[in-house]
Amino acid sequence: MFEISENLNIRIDNQLFVKPDYLVDPFISGNKYRKLKYNILEAKKQDVQTLLTFGGAYSNHIAAVAAAGNRFKFQTIGVIRGEELSKEIQKNPTLRFAKSQGMQFYFVSRDTYREKETETFIENLRNKFGEFYFIPEGGTNELAIKGCEEILTEQDTEFDFITSAVGTGGTISGLINSAKAHQKILGFPALKGDFLRKDISKFAKRENWDLISDYHFGGYAKINLELISFINDFKQQFNIPLDPIYTGKMAFGVCDLIKKGYFPKDAKILMIHTGGLQGIKGMNRILEKKNMIKIQ
């Protein structure tokens, strides 16, 4: 259970490398596998039979929890943002997959969803569904950080900079805690705003990090032709797929900073590929409606 085969870093050029953590599992991909590892073990320890979590229409986290529940014999419940999505399950690739893995959905309005972390809302869920093991939206908690601290290995000590996409801040917190003294961790938020610094500081034990907030492309799930072209060119050139929400923006940012001379010429950079590739189908569905080119 939870045995991860070592994936060798992929060399892009003399300065830039990619850690293909998305290859740890085809369905519980990348950082989701890391975040769920110790939560699953804790749920088994508590002898709880059901996992409950939250997510949106194309959530990587929802897909991963559903797959993990199916594999490790848990019932799963996904509280989904947007009541209208209850009629879209078969059209939505993420929800369709999660349902195929046995996940039960509870669709709530966006206003109700904002109350997801309150004690009252959680208690109402327990009254509705019975006992469950609670995993927060995005999967970030203390046990998730513990799992993400295992991303970096001894083979990664040669790198001066470690870069990661940032959603809820769990993955980068694990990287910060496990990095060597000479390494700087750079996070590329997928969302607007500087609030993530506070969230990361709850878990990060060191000051060896910074956020680069110039590459969110307008905010979460926002994308344009320049980013799509970059993602498609990157895959064609290096045979590495990137998702449009997280890793695509991070890789775009890193490559742009290299061009601008942000990094010392002799510095070695390791990009962490955290997965999220299942989200490509959902984004392509949106792009098709806008008559835009698709992600390959």
Side-chain angles (χ1 to χ4, degrees):
M1 181 178 178
F2 287 107
E3 293 183 1
I4 299 178
S5 60
E6 185 175 352
N7 294 303
L8 298 178
N9 297 327
I10 301 170
R11 180 174 175 170
I12 301 301
D13 56 34
N14 289 336
Q15 186 172 34
L16 183 60
F17 293 72
V18 175
K19 177 175 277 296
D21 212 43
Y22 67 100
L23 296 176
V24 298
D25 190 275
F27 301 114
I28 317 170
S29 179
N31 66 337
K32 299 307 178 187
Y33 195 102
R34 308 289 186 170
K35 288 182 175 183
L36 288 172
K37 175 181 176 179
Y38 289 107
N39 278 288
I40 292 288
L41 293 173
E42 180 62 23
K44 284 187 173 292
K45 180 180 177 181
Q46 294 181 15
D47 198 27
V48 180
Q49 307 301 316
T50 301
L51 310 175
L52 182 142
T53 195
F54 299 85
Y58 301 109
S59 167
N60 296 323
H61 177 65
I62 286 292
V65 171
N70 183 46
R71 183 175 306 174
F72 300 116
K73 312 304 180 186
F74 287 93
Q75 296 179 3
T76 54
I77 299 169
V79 181
I80 308 298
R81 181 180 65 248
E83 292 174 303
E84 74 281 359
L85 293 172
S86 63
K87 300 176 182 178
E88 296 282 318
I89 294 174
Q90 291 307 312
K91 296 179 182 179
N92 180 302
T94 300
L95 297 180
R96 185 171 66 244
F97 170 77
K99 183 178 180 180
S100 76
Q101 298 297 296
M103 177 171 275
Q104 176 183 352
F105 299 127
Y106 179 45
F107 296 93
V108 299
S109 69
R110 282 163 172 74
D111 287 338
T112 300
Y113 193 83
R114 294 188 185 98
E115 306 297 319
K116 63 183 181 296
E117 295 181 359
T118 64
E119 291 185 12
T120 299
F121 189 59
I122 298 298
E123 186 60 30
N124 288 338
L125 289 173
R126 294 195 187 281
N127 292 333
K128 182 177 181 64
F129 295 110
E131 187 60 30
F132 55 76
Y133 183 89
F134 171 69
I135 302 175
E137 182 180 35
T140 293
N141 57 17
E142 292 284 356
L143 291 175
I145 306 305
K146 181 180 179 181
C148 289
E149 288 173 357
E150 298 175 352
I151 294 174
L152 295 178
T153 66
E154 284 302 313
Q155 72 166 336
D156 303 322
T157 58
E158 65 178 304
F159 295 100
D160 304 291
F161 292 88
I162 312 293
T163 73
S164 174
V166 180
T168 56
T171 302
I172 191 173
S173 296
L175 294 171
I176 291 166
N177 293 344
S178 62
K180 301 299 182 182
H182 68 280
Q183 295 178 317
K184 180 73 173 286
I185 311 299
L186 298 179
F188 290 76
L191 299 85
K192 280 185 178 180
D194 213 33
F195 63 92
L196 280 167
R197 291 185 183 274
K198 183 178 179 181
D199 292 341
I200 293 168
S201 295
K202 295 176 185 176
F203 300 106
K205 301 173 183 176
R206 301 161 68 191
E207 302 296 327
N208 57 333
W209 61 281
D210 198 4
L211 295 182
I212 309 294
S213 301
D214 303 324
Y215 298 97
H216 52 64
F217 285 81
Y220 184 73
K222 297 296 178 63
I223 192 172
N224 62 20
L225 182 59
E226 183 180 23
L227 181 59
I228 297 170
S229 297
F230 172 83
I231 290 171
N232 287 342
D233 290 345
F234 198 89
K235 183 180 180 182
Q236 183 176 23
Q237 188 172 357
F238 305 113
N239 196 31
I240 301 174
L242 300 170
D243 86 285
I245 309 300
Y246 297 105
T247 59
K249 294 179 179 180
M250 181 265 296
F252 183 99
V254 172
C255 292
D256 189 53
L257 290 177
I258 290 174
K259 292 176 185 176
K260 292 177 177 178
Y262 176 91
F263 301 100
K265 289 185 178 181
D266 60 346
K268 297 188 73 172
I269 307 156
L270 180 64
M271 295 194 299
I272 308 298
H273 193 317
T274 51
L277 298 177
Q278 70 85 33
I280 293 175
K281 292 181 180 178
M283 179 58 72
N284 278 341
R285 186 174 177 231
I286 295 171
L287 294 174
E288 185 176 13
K289 292 178 180 179
K290 294 182 178 181
N291 293 316
M292 295 178 66
I293 64 170
K294 293 183 178 181
I295 297 166
Q296 303 302 316

